[in-house]
Amino acid sequence: MSVFPKDFLWGGATAANQFEGAWDVDGKGPSCMDMATNGNHHHPREITPVLDPDKLYPCHDGVDFYHHYKEDIALLAEMGFKVFRFSMNWPRIFPTGFEDEPNEAGLAFYDRVMDECAKYDIEPLVTLSHYEMPFAMCQKIDGWASREAIDCYVKYAKTVMEHYKGKCHYWLTFNEINCGMISLGNYMSLGILNPGSFDLRHQNDDPQKRLQALHHQFVASALAVKAGHEIDSDNKMGCMIAYMLAYPLTPNPDDVELARERNQYRNYYCSDVMVRGEYPYFAPRLWDEEGVSLDITDEDRRILKEGTVDFYTHSYYQSQCASADPAEETSGNLFGGAKNPYLKETAWEWPIDPAGLRIMLNQVYERYQIPIMVVENGLGCRDEVNPDGTIDDDYRIEYLRDHIKALGEAIKDGVEVWGYTPWGCIDLVSNADGEMAKRYGFVYVDKRDDGSGTLERSRKKSFYWYKKVIETNGEEL
Ligand code: BG6
């Protein structure tokens, strides 16, 4: 008997800025990530406030889901998807963010996508904002640093939730909102363009501005949650957290303490606000340490209380170790920390830790007792195409199998998990590095880092494997 509930939502996830392409088609305005160049693990993406004709901007074309959506959704349906997580491109709907009326051609595109999903009984799970704030908002109001961003976002969120009423019932307000807890989040997550910040991975940071901007996102999210419930009582509104699980490197109490602090600051600061409707008890200490004083009005506090989410979602790719000895903190993965001697790493130095998924699911459920969805997980790596066109991605199958097993164990532990949508189900542009070489998909897309390729889609070995997983509701792994 399968440990997965009968109606478990198996699927996959994508994001508009990495997937759609058509960055300036049918009235769409540029988003913040349209201004970021390509890069790789050793060479960070660059933020260029003015497009440089000598540079490559991989998000401009993505893998052209905009024109391939029928074929792509048919492939997802062939795997038996029950749910498809995708994000809406905010500047496709409001090109600068400041318009009073939406761009009808943008709305029409997601109508086509949702109708196509409905054809196959695939439930859409929509992220309202996944690293694609209209670039005009970064330029004019410094992104989320300004309170004005709240109104722009709420107008956008209400517009789409009203327009797609009845077609979509699962909404996530912000992708990986806790990215705003680290300096990496300044630009891609908060739309803040600090002077002198050109390297996407190492941006200049102003914690006062960053944490205030994050507060504005919390208020905007709560207002969207409230609006979502008012528009359609069947709507389920969720938060989305990049879960950065931290273990102490050793039993040295200093390491244990640092791990506790990292887990609280990085993982729970945001979700406590979104699930419980108020800042956690440890927030004032964090503000003191960062030397910030936030403008939080009584009305903000009321809104946060009224706009708590129905379910918790998260990404999970890796864990880290925390060491109080800075000499140990040499890990090359995105979130830093110390290397874990017990774990293997991907070519991008992301530690592979399936057991960590079970651990973190239990931690989250113990804290909140609300349903959870794992909306991102997966192995980013190079794929080789065999001379006959097949792709034997056994390494990806192994990674996913181990994580699904861990997920099953968490369900046996009693954690309520609604679904699983592994990342980049169709190959797309990687986010942190802006490259095609790092692939996650069950479906291969013929596109290279220099932008060349036919964009032809083909099924990898993992495609057939995942199809079986879904068919047997996770029994056959
Ligand atoms: C998550 C993001 O952080 O990780 C995605 O929500 C991203 O947008 C994914 O693509 C994987 O990261 P990367 O850098 O390998 O694409």
Side-chain angles (χ1 to χ4, degrees):
M1 253 261 296
S2 171
V3 297
F4 294 90
K6 235 183 23 271
D7 50 357
F8 191 74
L9 292 169
W10 296 99
T14 61
N17 84 85
Q18 297 164 252
F19 195 40
E20 283 177 3
W23 76 291
D24 60 353
V25 169
D26 292 340
K28 179 183 165 296
S31 78
C32 56
M33 292 311 270
D34 285 328
M35 313 309 278
T37 65
N38 64 337
N40 57 49
H41 187 41
H42 306 289
H43 183 82
R45 296 182 86 167
E46 226 182 296
I47 305 164
T48 61
V50 175
L51 291 179
D52 180 338
D54 295 328
K55 299 205 155 125
L56 284 175
Y57 295 89
C59 294
H60 287 189
D61 301 321
V63 292
D64 201 24
F65 173 69
Y66 196 76
H67 297 107
H68 289 74
Y69 69 94
K70 279 195 179 192
E71 175 190 352
D72 286 348
I73 294 170
L75 283 162
L76 306 182
E78 190 182 326
M79 278 186 277
F81 273 36
K82 315 280 181 224
V83 64
F84 174 34
R85 173 178 178 230
F86 59 93
S87 73
M88 285 186 179
N89 219 323
W90 183 353
R92 206 178 278 297
I93 311 295
F94 288 97
T96 66
F98 300 108
E99 294 80 0
D100 291 326
E101 296 302 324
N103 170 30
E104 290 298 329
L107 289 173
F109 171 60
Y110 298 109
D111 270 320
R112 295 196 290 278
V113 169
M114 295 218 193
D115 292 347
E116 208 57 27
C117 287
K119 215 162 106 182
Y120 302 105
D121 279 333
I122 297 176
E123 188 75 49
L125 164 60
V126 169
T127 318
L128 288 164
S129 184
H130 190 136
Y131 304 150
E132 82 311 65
M133 173 174 240
F135 184 60
M137 290 179 67
C138 309
Q139 284 180 306
K140 290 207 184 110
I141 58 170
D142 211 6
W144 283 98
S146 164
R147 257 188 197 269
E148 208 186 324
I150 300 176
D151 288 344
C152 297
Y153 174 88
V154 173
K155 171 186 62 186
Y156 156 66
K158 280 186 177 166
T159 302
V160 297
M161 289 192 293
E162 269 158 14
H163 186 88
Y164 302 108
K165 179 177 173 178
K167 288 190 179 185
C168 174
H169 299 104
Y170 295 93
W171 303 91
L172 307 180
T173 54
F174 288 95
N175 182 63
E176 297 188 332
I177 194 165
N178 57 325
C179 215
M181 295 305 289
I182 53 179
S183 72
L184 175 72
N186 270 299
Y187 182 65
M188 64 184 193
S189 189
L190 297 165
I192 295 172
L193 198 45
N194 281 323
S197 271
F198 301 113
D199 171 338
L200 187 76
R201 261 187 245 148
H202 305 103
Q203 295 167 52
N204 294 335
D205 188 33
D206 173 352
Q208 170 68 40
K209 199 201 266 189
R210 177 166 49 76
L211 292 173
Q212 184 66 46
L214 187 56
H215 174 71
H216 296 152
Q217 284 195 332
F218 292 150
V219 175
S221 170
L223 288 167
V225 167
K226 263 184 85 175
H229 289 147
E230 281 159 16
I231 290 166
D232 186 344
S233 55
D234 285 341
N235 274 342
K236 302 269 181 258
M237 307 297 300
C239 62
M240 198 303 199
I241 303 291
Y243 206 91
M244 309 180 207
L245 176 64
Y247 301 125
L249 181 65
T250 71
N252 177 337
D254 291 344
D255 289 358
V256 177
E257 167 50 30
L258 187 63
R260 177 203 63 79
E261 183 189 286
R262 286 209 179 136
N263 281 317
Q264 285 195 331
Y265 288 6
R266 290 179 172 192
N267 295 320
Y268 292 122
Y269 177 90
C270 294
S271 51
D272 278 3
V273 176
M274 298 173 92
V275 178
R276 295 173 165 166
E278 59 189 25
Y279 278 96
Y281 72 90
F282 55 81
R285 173 148 196 181
L286 180 150
W287 296 330
D288 274 359
E289 285 171 2
E290 295 279 8
V292 307
S293 157
L294 298 190
D295 170 29
I296 304 174
T297 66
D298 287 345
E299 201 197 345
D300 290 349
R301 290 189 199 280
R302 186 181 53 75
I303 292 169
L304 295 180
K305 262 286 173 227
E306 288 173 3
T308 55
V309 294
D310 305 308
F311 66 120
Y312 173 103
T313 80
H314 68 96
S315 59
Y316 176 80
Y317 292 93
Q318 53 180 307
S319 57
Q320 301 87 42
C321 288
S323 170
D325 175 2
E328 290 284 356
E329 296 243 319
T330 56
S331 161
N333 78 68
L334 199 58
F335 304 131
K339 274 188 189 286
N340 187 327
Y342 296 96
L343 300 179
K344 288 197 195 124
E345 294 185 341
T346 71
W348 274 259
E349 296 180 82
W350 292 19
I352 301 175
D353 181 15
L357 178 60
R358 177 179 179 187
I359 294 169
M360 62 81 33
L361 283 168
N362 273 281
Q363 287 176 351
V364 171
Y365 196 63
E366 184 178 318
R367 193 175 188 102
Y368 301 129
Q369 311 262 296
I370 61 171
I372 302 177
M373 241 173 125
V374 184
V375 297
E376 282 188 37
N377 172 236
L379 177 68
C381 60
R382 286 193 173 76
D383 286 324
E384 295 299 329
V385 183
N386 298 323
D388 65 355
T390 56
I391 297 144
D392 297 318
D393 55 342
D394 296 277
Y395 35 88
R396 181 167 294 108
I397 295 174
E398 186 186 331
Y399 178 103
L400 293 170
R401 176 189 291 132
D402 291 347
H403 283 79
I404 295 174
K405 275 187 193 160
L407 175 54
E409 289 302 318
I411 291 175
K412 279 200 233 164
D413 293 333
V415 179
E416 184 180 357
V417 186
W418 275 353
Y420 177 66
T421 59
W423 178 246
C425 42
I426 295 177
D427 288 345
L428 39 64
V429 175
S430 74
N431 172 58
D433 302 309
E435 56 187 330
M436 275 309 297
K438 190 183 189 193
R439 295 168 182 271
Y440 287 86
F442 302 113
V443 173
Y444 184 87
V445 178
D446 179 33
K447 187 182 173 191
R448 285 171 280 283
D449 280 330
D450 61 5
S452 65
T454 61
L455 293 176
E456 198 187 319
R457 276 59 172 156
S458 47
R459 298 163 184 80
K460 302 181 195 176
K461 189 170 178 184
S462 58
F463 179 99
Y464 302 102
W465 171 81
Y466 193 48
K467 183 174 189 293
K468 193 86 202 160
V469 171
I470 299 179
E471 224 168 72
T472 61
N473 200 23
E475 266 193 86
E476 211 169 295
L477 290 170

